[in-house]
Short mmCIF file of all heavy atoms in Angstrom, two decimals:
data_model
loop_
_atom_site.label_atom_id
_atom_site.label_comp_id
_atom_site.label_asym_id
_atom_site.label_seq_id
_atom_site.Cartn_x
_atom_site.Cartn_y
_atom_site.Cartn_z
N ASP A 318 67.08 -35.20 76.70
CA ASP A 318 67.39 -34.80 75.32
C ASP A 318 68.64 -34.05 75.36
O ASP A 318 68.66 -32.75 75.12
CB ASP A 318 66.27 -34.06 74.83
CG ASP A 318 66.50 -33.64 73.31
OD1 ASP A 318 67.21 -34.43 72.63
OD2 ASP A 318 65.88 -32.64 72.82
N TYR A 319 69.86 -34.61 75.48
CA TYR A 319 71.07 -33.93 75.39
C TYR A 319 72.00 -34.52 74.39
O TYR A 319 71.90 -35.70 74.09
CB TYR A 319 71.73 -33.76 76.84
CG TYR A 319 71.88 -35.12 77.51
CD1 TYR A 319 73.09 -35.87 77.31
CD2 TYR A 319 71.07 -35.61 78.42
CE1 TYR A 319 73.36 -37.04 77.96
CE2 TYR A 319 71.34 -36.83 79.18
CZ TYR A 319 72.44 -37.55 78.84
OH TYR A 319 72.64 -38.66 79.52
N GLY A 320 72.96 -33.63 73.89
CA GLY A 320 73.90 -34.24 72.97
C GLY A 320 75.18 -34.78 73.47
O GLY A 320 75.36 -34.75 74.70
N PRO A 321 75.96 -35.38 72.61
CA PRO A 321 77.23 -36.12 73.14
C PRO A 321 78.37 -35.10 73.23
O PRO A 321 78.30 -33.84 72.81
CB PRO A 321 77.55 -37.07 71.93
CG PRO A 321 77.02 -36.26 70.71
CD PRO A 321 75.82 -35.46 71.23
N MET A 322 79.50 -35.57 73.78
CA MET A 322 80.83 -34.83 73.70
C MET A 322 81.21 -34.87 72.27
O MET A 322 80.77 -35.75 71.47
CB MET A 322 81.79 -35.49 74.60
CG MET A 322 81.45 -35.54 76.05
SD MET A 322 81.29 -33.98 76.85
CE MET A 322 79.57 -33.65 76.71
N ILE A 323 82.00 -33.89 71.86
CA ILE A 323 82.40 -33.72 70.51
C ILE A 323 83.10 -35.01 69.95
O ILE A 323 83.02 -35.26 68.73
CB ILE A 323 83.24 -32.40 70.23
CG1 ILE A 323 83.45 -32.22 68.74
CG2 ILE A 323 84.51 -32.58 70.94
CD1 ILE A 323 82.28 -31.84 67.98
N SER A 324 83.92 -35.61 70.78
CA SER A 324 84.75 -36.72 70.30
C SER A 324 85.06 -37.75 71.24
O SER A 324 84.88 -37.47 72.53
CB SER A 324 86.29 -36.09 69.86
OG SER A 324 86.83 -35.51 70.93
N ALA A 325 85.59 -38.81 70.87
CA ALA A 325 85.92 -39.96 71.95
C ALA A 325 86.99 -39.38 72.82
O ALA A 325 86.97 -39.57 74.04
CB ALA A 325 86.51 -41.11 71.22
N GLY A 326 87.95 -38.71 72.34
CA GLY A 326 89.05 -37.98 73.18
C GLY A 326 88.45 -37.07 74.18
O GLY A 326 88.88 -37.17 75.41
N HIS A 327 87.50 -36.27 73.73
CA HIS A 327 86.99 -35.20 74.70
C HIS A 327 86.14 -36.01 75.66
O HIS A 327 86.03 -35.66 76.87
CB HIS A 327 86.25 -34.14 73.97
CG HIS A 327 85.83 -33.02 74.91
ND1 HIS A 327 86.67 -32.36 75.66
CD2 HIS A 327 84.52 -32.54 75.29
CE1 HIS A 327 86.09 -31.53 76.44
NE2 HIS A 327 84.79 -31.58 76.13
N ARG A 328 85.34 -36.99 75.25
CA ARG A 328 84.53 -37.81 76.22
C ARG A 328 85.43 -38.49 77.30
O ARG A 328 85.20 -38.38 78.50
CB ARG A 328 83.83 -38.85 75.47
CG ARG A 328 82.79 -39.78 76.28
CD ARG A 328 83.22 -41.20 76.52
NE ARG A 328 84.11 -41.79 75.69
CZ ARG A 328 83.88 -42.65 74.76
NH1 ARG A 328 82.60 -43.01 74.51
NH2 ARG A 328 84.75 -43.22 73.99
N ASP A 329 86.65 -38.93 76.84
CA ASP A 329 87.53 -39.57 77.78
C ASP A 329 87.97 -38.53 78.75
O ASP A 329 88.28 -38.86 79.90
CB ASP A 329 88.64 -40.34 77.02
CG ASP A 329 88.13 -41.44 76.22
OD1 ASP A 329 87.00 -41.88 76.53
OD2 ASP A 329 88.91 -42.05 75.34
N LYS A 330 88.32 -37.32 78.23
CA LYS A 330 88.81 -36.26 79.17
C LYS A 330 87.72 -35.99 80.27
O LYS A 330 88.10 -35.83 81.48
CB LYS A 330 89.13 -35.03 78.35
CG LYS A 330 89.61 -33.83 79.19
CD LYS A 330 89.84 -32.54 78.44
CE LYS A 330 89.78 -31.30 79.35
NZ LYS A 330 89.66 -30.14 78.75
N VAL A 331 86.44 -35.78 79.80
CA VAL A 331 85.49 -35.40 80.75
C VAL A 331 85.28 -36.58 81.82
O VAL A 331 85.11 -36.28 82.99
CB VAL A 331 84.18 -35.09 79.94
CG1 VAL A 331 83.00 -34.94 80.97
CG2 VAL A 331 84.30 -33.87 79.12
N LEU A 332 85.26 -37.70 81.23
CA LEU A 332 85.05 -38.94 82.24
C LEU A 332 86.33 -39.02 83.12
O LEU A 332 86.16 -39.45 84.41
CB LEU A 332 85.00 -40.16 81.47
CG LEU A 332 83.62 -40.43 80.75
CD1 LEU A 332 83.62 -41.76 79.94
CD2 LEU A 332 82.49 -40.51 81.76
N SER A 333 87.48 -38.62 82.77
CA SER A 333 88.61 -38.66 83.67
C SER A 333 88.37 -37.66 84.79
O SER A 333 88.82 -37.90 85.98
CB SER A 333 89.99 -38.42 82.96
OG SER A 333 90.10 -36.89 82.66
N TYR A 334 87.75 -36.56 84.49
CA TYR A 334 87.37 -35.50 85.60
C TYR A 334 86.30 -36.05 86.51
O TYR A 334 86.21 -35.83 87.71
CB TYR A 334 87.00 -34.18 85.02
CG TYR A 334 88.11 -33.29 84.69
CD1 TYR A 334 88.57 -33.15 83.32
CD2 TYR A 334 88.87 -32.65 85.69
CE1 TYR A 334 89.69 -32.40 83.05
CE2 TYR A 334 89.96 -31.79 85.40
CZ TYR A 334 90.45 -31.77 84.13
OH TYR A 334 91.45 -31.05 83.80
N TYR A 335 85.31 -36.92 85.90
CA TYR A 335 84.39 -37.46 86.68
C TYR A 335 85.05 -38.42 87.78
O TYR A 335 84.57 -38.55 88.91
CB TYR A 335 83.35 -38.27 85.91
CG TYR A 335 82.29 -37.50 85.10
CD1 TYR A 335 82.45 -36.03 84.99
CD2 TYR A 335 81.21 -38.12 84.57
CE1 TYR A 335 81.56 -35.35 84.28
CE2 TYR A 335 80.26 -37.36 83.85
CZ TYR A 335 80.49 -36.01 83.65
OH TYR A 335 79.54 -35.17 82.95
N ARG A 336 86.00 -39.19 87.34
CA ARG A 336 86.66 -40.06 88.19
C ARG A 336 87.56 -39.31 89.27
O ARG A 336 87.59 -39.64 90.35
CB ARG A 336 87.67 -40.99 87.41
CG ARG A 336 86.82 -42.18 86.77
CD ARG A 336 87.80 -43.21 86.17
NE ARG A 336 88.73 -42.76 85.21
CZ ARG A 336 88.50 -42.61 83.83
NH1 ARG A 336 87.33 -42.98 83.38
NH2 ARG A 336 89.34 -42.15 83.06
N LEU A 337 88.21 -38.24 88.70
CA LEU A 337 88.96 -37.45 89.66
C LEU A 337 88.25 -36.82 90.70
O LEU A 337 88.73 -36.78 91.92
CB LEU A 337 89.80 -36.39 88.80
CG LEU A 337 90.64 -35.29 89.63
CD1 LEU A 337 91.91 -36.10 90.18
CD2 LEU A 337 91.11 -34.11 88.69
N ALA A 338 87.07 -36.46 90.30
CA ALA A 338 86.20 -35.69 91.45
C ALA A 338 85.88 -36.76 92.54
O ALA A 338 86.05 -36.33 93.73
CB ALA A 338 84.89 -35.32 90.79
N VAL A 339 85.64 -38.02 92.14
CA VAL A 339 85.45 -38.99 93.25
C VAL A 339 86.67 -39.21 94.10
O VAL A 339 86.67 -39.26 95.23
CB VAL A 339 84.94 -40.32 92.60
CG1 VAL A 339 84.81 -41.40 93.62
CG2 VAL A 339 83.60 -40.00 91.90
N GLU A 340 87.82 -39.30 93.38
CA GLU A 340 89.12 -39.52 94.03
C GLU A 340 89.37 -38.40 94.99
O GLU A 340 90.04 -38.53 96.06
CB GLU A 340 90.30 -39.60 93.07
CG GLU A 340 90.33 -40.96 92.40
CD GLU A 340 91.19 -40.94 91.07
OE1 GLU A 340 92.00 -40.00 90.86
OE2 GLU A 340 90.79 -41.64 90.09
N GLU A 341 88.98 -37.08 94.56
CA GLU A 341 89.21 -35.98 95.34
C GLU A 341 88.24 -35.92 96.51
O GLU A 341 88.38 -34.96 97.36
CB GLU A 341 89.20 -34.71 94.54
CG GLU A 341 90.37 -34.60 93.59
CD GLU A 341 90.37 -33.28 92.66
OE1 GLU A 341 89.34 -32.95 92.09
OE2 GLU A 341 91.46 -32.62 92.64
N GLY A 342 87.29 -36.82 96.58
CA GLY A 342 86.28 -36.79 97.69
C GLY A 342 84.93 -36.17 97.49
O GLY A 342 84.27 -35.87 98.47
N ALA A 343 84.63 -36.05 96.19
CA ALA A 343 83.23 -35.36 95.96
C ALA A 343 82.21 -36.30 96.25
O ALA A 343 82.24 -37.58 96.13
CB ALA A 343 83.25 -35.00 94.35
N ASP A 344 81.01 -35.73 96.62
CA ASP A 344 79.71 -36.48 96.74
C ASP A 344 79.10 -36.27 95.26
O ASP A 344 78.87 -35.15 94.90
CB ASP A 344 78.84 -35.96 97.67
CG ASP A 344 79.34 -36.16 99.18
OD1 ASP A 344 79.92 -37.25 99.27
OD2 ASP A 344 79.08 -35.31 100.06
N VAL A 345 78.71 -37.38 94.57
CA VAL A 345 78.13 -37.19 93.32
C VAL A 345 76.64 -37.28 93.54
O VAL A 345 76.02 -38.37 93.88
CB VAL A 345 78.55 -38.39 92.46
CG1 VAL A 345 77.99 -38.29 91.04
CG2 VAL A 345 80.10 -38.37 92.30
N LEU A 346 75.93 -36.19 93.17
CA LEU A 346 74.46 -36.21 93.52
C LEU A 346 73.61 -36.46 92.23
O LEU A 346 72.47 -36.90 92.41
CB LEU A 346 74.12 -34.73 93.94
CG LEU A 346 74.84 -34.18 95.25
CD1 LEU A 346 74.37 -32.81 95.54
CD2 LEU A 346 74.61 -35.17 96.35
N ALA A 347 74.24 -36.44 91.02
CA ALA A 347 73.56 -36.84 89.87
C ALA A 347 74.62 -37.23 88.76
O ALA A 347 75.60 -36.47 88.82
CB ALA A 347 72.72 -35.55 89.28
N GLY A 348 74.32 -38.10 88.02
CA GLY A 348 75.20 -38.45 86.91
C GLY A 348 76.42 -39.07 87.38
O GLY A 348 76.49 -39.97 88.26
N GLY A 349 77.57 -38.73 86.68
CA GLY A 349 78.96 -39.18 86.93
C GLY A 349 79.33 -40.33 86.07
O GLY A 349 80.44 -40.85 86.33
N GLY A 350 78.57 -40.73 85.13
CA GLY A 350 78.87 -41.81 84.25
C GLY A 350 78.55 -41.66 82.88
O GLY A 350 78.29 -40.63 82.37
N VAL A 351 78.29 -42.82 82.14
CA VAL A 351 77.99 -42.82 80.82
C VAL A 351 76.58 -43.38 80.61
O VAL A 351 76.17 -44.43 81.22
CB VAL A 351 78.83 -43.72 80.03
CG1 VAL A 351 78.51 -43.96 78.56
CG2 VAL A 351 80.29 -43.23 80.09
N PRO A 352 75.59 -42.75 79.97
CA PRO A 352 74.14 -43.34 79.95
C PRO A 352 74.15 -44.43 79.00
O PRO A 352 74.88 -44.58 78.07
CB PRO A 352 73.51 -42.01 79.34
CG PRO A 352 74.50 -41.30 78.48
CD PRO A 352 75.81 -41.53 79.18
N ALA A 353 73.25 -45.36 79.28
CA ALA A 353 72.94 -46.48 78.31
C ALA A 353 71.54 -46.23 77.68
O ALA A 353 70.62 -46.08 78.24
CB ALA A 353 72.90 -47.72 79.12
N PHE A 354 71.55 -45.97 76.34
CA PHE A 354 70.34 -45.76 75.58
C PHE A 354 69.77 -47.01 75.00
O PHE A 354 68.55 -47.03 74.64
CB PHE A 354 70.61 -44.78 74.52
CG PHE A 354 71.05 -43.43 74.79
CD1 PHE A 354 72.47 -43.00 74.80
CD2 PHE A 354 70.18 -42.48 75.54
CE1 PHE A 354 73.00 -41.79 75.23
CE2 PHE A 354 70.61 -41.24 75.94
CZ PHE A 354 72.00 -40.92 75.78
N GLY A 355 70.66 -47.96 74.64
CA GLY A 355 70.08 -49.22 74.13
C GLY A 355 69.83 -49.03 72.63
O GLY A 355 69.05 -49.82 71.95
#
Side-chain angles (χ1 to χ4, degrees):
D318 184 23
Y319 54 86
M322 301 293 93
I323 187 69
S324 62
H327 189 54
R328 185 254 333 260
D329 293 348
K330 177 187 156 187
V331 172
L332 288 176
S333 78
Y334 276 102
Y335 285 13
R336 283 193 298 276
L337 177 67
V339 173
E340 284 160 29
E341 289 182 312
D344 291 328
V345 180
L346 305 183
V351 174
F354 296 105

